[in-house]
Amino acid sequence: MSTKATRIVAILVSLLLVAVTVTGCGSKPNASNSLTYAVGTDAKTLDPQFVNDLPSAVAAMQIHETLVARDENMNLVPGLATEWSVSSDGKTWTFKLRKGVKFHDGTDFNADAVKYTLDRMLDKATASPRRSVVSMITGVKVVDASTVQITTDQPFGPFLAQLSTYNVAMMSPTAAKAAGVKGYGQKPVGTGPFKFKSWTPGEKLVLERNDSYWGTKPTIKELTFKVVPEDATRVMLLKTGDAQVVGGVPAFQIDDLKKDANITLIAKPGFRTIYVGMNNSQKPFDDPRVRQAVNYAIDREAIVKNLLRGQATIAVGPESTTIPGAAKTLQTVYTHDVAKAKQLLKDAGYPDGFKTVFHTPSGRYPMDQQVSEAIVGQLKEAGIQAELKVMDWGAYNDMLTKGTESRLFLLGKGSPSADPDMTLSLSFGTKASMNQAFYSNKQVDGLLADQRKETNADKRAQILQQIQDLVQKDAAWANLYYETITVGTRANVKGLQVLPNELIFFNKVTIGK
Amino acid sequence: MSKMLLRRAAMSIPILLAVSVLVFMMIHLMPGDPARIIAGDSATEEDIAMVRTTLGLDKPVVTQYAVYMANVFKGDLGTSLRTHRPVVDEIKVRLPNTIRLAAVAMVLSVVFGVAIGVISASRPYSWADSASMVGALVGVSMPTFYLGLMLMLLFSVKLGWVPLLADNSLKSMILPAVTLGARSLALLARMTRSSMLEVLNQDYILASRAQGLPGNVILYSRALKNSMTTILTVAGLEFGHLMAGAVVTEQVFAWPGIGRLIVESIWARDFPVVQASVLIIAVAFVLINLLTDILYTVVNPRVRFR
């Protein structure tokens, strides 16, 4: 009787195998003019004015362009504006616009479009979560079809940097009006090298070449953003060639990928600083000596070398040295020195150290939890007994903002505007929204306001240097390292542009044999 | 019978209401300010306050719930806080994917699970029995995450037999379906075996043998039929688990299903999407239970008279 049962199973298995072979000897769509980019997280919106995360920014910036652009070294270069000037009082900016540029819907890019885009973002009814990027603008005036004048409430030093952020990318007024504020994010129409084709949320976003692009026309016809949340799966896709470009390559797979001749790794020092935040408003971290002790107790070199496999640069201050205008060196340098840390703790009245908590996210930044674990171990050597607590991002964010439970915590910060102003102001200004260290220094507050009003670039750089020196001396944070951006590509993919602010551009990509 | 079904259906309404209240309260009690998360890094306090007002998150929780339920009965599940797309649209693209995957996994586990169980029971303690039961033990214990990655490494990367990622062909669904269904398959195999063994020891089987009925008739038309109630119960419950438990499989295989949607939404504190997805899964659970009840009456006539 069991022979019959066995026979039934055998038949079922063979039926399944037949079904498998029949239904799809699926051929890979590997035409050399299409490219698949595997990303860990899907975009949330393609409306630039609502973008506040990297996956959305990368996708939106293939479709849209800004007036002022950044080159690969993050210098400000002409984008949709070809030249600009500022009035002597520093409050009125005049932009000459690129002529003959058309939006993907065929309408003209002109001064009216610039006015529409900026007015839309400033309109409180739009409720852009990044309105603060342009909130200093008091008026946009159309001078003629290709000239626009923008006035600000006071001289604003980092104005061009603000205009180069992805939030201020130009959108087609016709399309934006038709789609409405909520709809535009799914039907974006810009001037960029790629135009929107289709989007299956959580699965893939497909863009196609803009054949009437004003700049270097892309050679790839179709660009697909494929959402693959699992790190290991993304790497496998690159190995099999199912994806040609893969972002967020985990550090532990780098050695393995380097051995593969079919794969090229692009590593670029990035803008993101990973740091140990300290709650300056709570004992014992209200004492700068304790905060300095934490700085001396951490062995940054060991973390970068052993945990991150060299995929990071040791931090000298809060702003990555690759950010234009950020300090290259600072007066105060914290090296690994346990004896000094112990001495500082003793001076502060903690000869036997103390107990505290160390909060960390997990999976928010590469190797975040492991780095936190290592630091907890290093602090122990100096006498600081920190209990590690892992939290999910939402709860973590909330806890840090309230600031009653937080003492030591791991965080990261990028630089969307590629100018030190934005994140220095948000992180170290008294009661600013990213100031989860509750740092407060009147002198710093004054200098932050001063640099904004300063339109002379050299003088402004000096003030910025002063701010960074002060913050580093006060040891508001323990800065750890600047992340290296690692993108994996198939070896035949050339011309991919990876910017230090983590944006990626595909319009100059060619795919060889 | 129809009266019983109606009663069962009516009972599910308070269950679903309770689920909605529970989910609504739970995610509102969770720490994490959605306005702050949605506004993102580098947002000012002013930006965050604006987001909060626009989304109605500054109103009391009870008001938020009342507004939400009123809209649900109108068929409006709200708008995603994260993507600004209607929740219905978000779920519409994801739910069919999960159902498809769960269905294929279910078919695989029922067919192979029952077959293995029957073979094991028909010759207990033989090598075939031992091998299948050890296999089942491995299937139950293997972490889904690990199994998925290993299957991909072997069958896609090394052997290249099946594509790494799903492309709507049945072939590309095999690995995720096997990964998802492995546990259910193993469980069904073990349940079928024990239930069959129990039935095979009953007096009427002995009587059938004494009557000289052929072995196959005894095995399939007498024993298996009578084990069906147990198998159905387990299968019904497992289908619910396959739907809700697809999260890990969906993550590993980049399968755009509802499990991943829920996880992503919880991380982003996207309340409307979490609420709607959990409600839909609750509805699915209730429906599957109802269906299982109906099937009982088909396989076991005694139930009909209750």
Side-chain angles (χ1 to χ4, degrees), chain A residues 28-41:
Chain A
K28 276 177 203 166
N30 215 356
S32 65
N33 53 0
S34 70
L35 186 146
T36 299
Y37 171 41
V39 289
T41 317

Side-chain angles (χ1 to χ4, degrees), chain B residues 20-39:
Chain B
S20 75
V21 173
L22 214 68
V23 173
F24 203 88
M25 292 304 152
M26 210 149 56
I27 53 182
H28 277 80
L29 290 176
M30 251 160 87
D33 177 359
R36 190 168 288 277
I37 298 172
I38 289 153

Side-chain angles (χ1 to χ4, degrees), chain A residues 129-389:
Chain A
R130 283 295 179 82
R131 188 178 175 277
S132 59
V133 173
V134 292
S135 59
M136 74 296 293
I137 296 177
T138 50
V140 185
K141 200 175 106 191
V142 175
V143 178
D144 59 52
S146 60
T147 314
V148 72
Q149 244 174 29
I150 305 174
T151 44
T152 56
D153 53 359
Q154 55 175 349
F156 197 83
F159 188 63
L160 292 174
Q162 301 288 106
L163 286 189
S164 77
T165 58
Y166 43 76
N167 298 112
V168 205
M170 295 297 136
M171 45 176 74
S172 155
T174 316
K177 279 176 205 159
V181 169
K182 288 209 166 148
Y184 184 82
Q186 286 94 258
K187 288 189 225 79
V189 177
T191 58
F194 291 94
K195 49 187 182 181
F196 178 80
K197 189 176 177 192
S198 69
W199 189 8
T200 321
E203 193 179 343
K204 64 179 176 183
L205 166 69
V206 185
L207 307 178
E208 60 184 354
R209 177 167 64 205
N210 171 12
D211 283 317
S212 47
Y213 184 56
W214 61 268
T216 313
K217 283 185 192 65
T219 61
I220 32 180
K221 199 162 190 302
E222 199 169 82
L223 172 62
T224 304
F225 286 62
K226 173 86 195 158
V227 186
V228 184
E230 184 52 45
D231 287 346
T233 312
R234 275 202 308 281
V235 171
M236 280 193 237
L237 282 174
L238 188 62
K239 285 191 161 182
T240 56
D242 287 292
Q244 287 77 43
V245 179
V246 162
V249 178
F252 62 88
Q253 294 209 302
I254 282 171
D255 294 341
D256 179 39
L257 287 177
K258 273 184 183 159
K259 286 182 214 141
D260 195 327
N262 293 318
I263 290 166
T264 308
L265 284 176
I266 303 173
K268 198 144 196 181
F271 282 176
R272 190 172 298 280
T273 306
I274 302 292
Y275 62 93
V276 176
M278 292 177 261
N279 190 334
N280 290 214
S281 71
Q282 298 277 355
K283 272 194 182 314
F285 300 104
D286 55 345
D287 188 329
R289 287 171 296 188
V290 173
R291 301 198 298 263
Q292 286 159 354
V294 170
N295 266 287
Y296 283 115
I298 296 172
D299 186 353
R300 296 166 176 81
E301 217 162 293
I303 291 171
V304 169
K305 198 174 148 215
N306 303 329
L307 276 178
L308 302 166
R309 311 283 161 105
Q311 296 299 303
T313 314
I314 293 172
V316 298
E319 296 287 316
S320 167
T321 48
T322 47
I323 298 172
K328 301 281 178 237
T329 52
L330 292 174
Q331 285 163 2
T332 317
V333 180
Y334 297 106
T335 45
H336 184 222
D337 190 338
V338 180
K340 206 162 182 177
K342 280 184 174 163
Q343 185 59 42
L344 280 162
L345 286 178
K346 205 173 154 194
D347 296 347
Y350 301 98
D352 304 318
F354 55 85
K355 281 193 172 139
T356 187
V357 284
F358 192 116
H359 287 96
T360 182
S362 185
R364 177 80 184 181
Y365 314 106
M367 306 292 281
D368 47 8
Q369 194 184 332
Q370 291 87 337
V371 169
S372 296
E373 280 163 6
I375 292 171
V376 165
Q378 293 170 355
L379 291 175
K380 209 178 209 168
E381 284 172 38
I384 301 172
Q385 312 270 343
E387 185 196 346
L388 190 71
K389 286 188 178 169

Side-chain angles (χ1 to χ4, degrees), chain B residues 8-266:
Chain B
R8 290 296 307 265
M11 262 168 64
S12 49
I13 294 170
I15 294 176
L16 292 176
L17 271 178
V19 168
S20 75
V21 173
L22 214 68
V23 173
F24 203 88
M25 292 304 152
M26 210 149 56
I27 53 182
H28 277 80
L29 290 176
M30 251 160 87
D33 177 359
R36 190 168 288 277
I37 298 172
I38 289 153
D41 293 345
S42 320
T44 61
E45 287 301 332
E46 196 195 344
D47 292 335
I48 295 163
M50 190 151 62
V51 170
R52 190 172 294 128
T53 329
T54 330
L55 301 175
L57 293 167
D58 49 349
K59 299 201 178 68
V61 176
V62 180
T63 318
Q64 288 186 40
Y65 178 73
V67 171
Y68 177 72
M69 284 316 283
N71 285 332
V72 168
F73 283 112
K74 279 185 260 168
D76 174 12
L77 291 172
T79 310
S80 160
L81 301 184
R82 196 165 52 113
T83 63
H84 307 290
R85 274 189 289 261
V87 174
V88 179
D89 292 355
E90 294 265 350
I91 291 176
K92 212 162 58 190
V93 290
R94 303 290 193 102
L95 188 64
N97 289 334
T98 297
I99 293 177
R100 215 149 43 97
L101 183 61
V104 175
M106 193 70 221
V107 171
L108 278 179
S109 30
V110 169
V111 170
F112 289 96
V114 172
I116 291 170
V118 170
I119 294 171
S120 292
S122 65
R123 28 159 75 176
Y125 312 110
S126 65
W127 67 266
D129 179 30
S130 311
S132 349
M133 285 309 110
V134 168
L137 190 67
V138 173
V140 171
S141 337
M142 179 89 87
T144 312
F145 182 78
Y146 180 76
L147 177 66
L149 284 179
M150 288 305 116
L151 288 176
M152 284 168 110
L153 200 62
L154 181 62
F155 292 104
S156 301
V157 179
K158 297 275 181 239
L159 299 171
W161 288 359
V162 284
L164 256 179
L165 294 186
D167 53 9
N168 282 325
S169 66
L170 191 60
K171 184 174 166 180
S172 71
M173 282 182 75
I174 295 175
L175 292 191
V178 168
T179 308
L180 180 63
R183 205 191 75 102
S184 303
L185 191 156
L187 200 67
L188 273 168
R190 293 183 74 90
M191 289 306 291
T192 307
R193 177 181 180 271
S194 61
S195 152
M196 283 283 284
L197 281 179
E198 199 181 310
V199 174
L200 285 171
N201 281 329
Q202 301 267 327
D203 288 345
Y204 72 86
I205 298 288
L206 194 67
S208 307
R209 281 195 220 280
Q211 282 172 345
L213 276 176
N216 281 334
V217 175
I218 296 176
L219 198 63
Y220 293 105
S221 97
R222 299 287 144 91
L224 184 59
K225 218 168 166 185
N226 278 303
S227 310
M228 265 315 190
T229 324
T230 321
I231 296 169
L232 262 180
T233 313
V234 177
L237 283 173
E238 278 305 300
F239 191 67
H241 283 298
L242 289 179
M243 291 265 303
V247 181
V248 179
T249 310
E250 288 177 3
Q251 178 85 6
V252 174
F253 288 91
W255 188 270
I258 203 163
R260 243 177 72 203
L261 181 68
I262 294 179
V263 172
E264 287 161 12
S265 306
I266 290 176

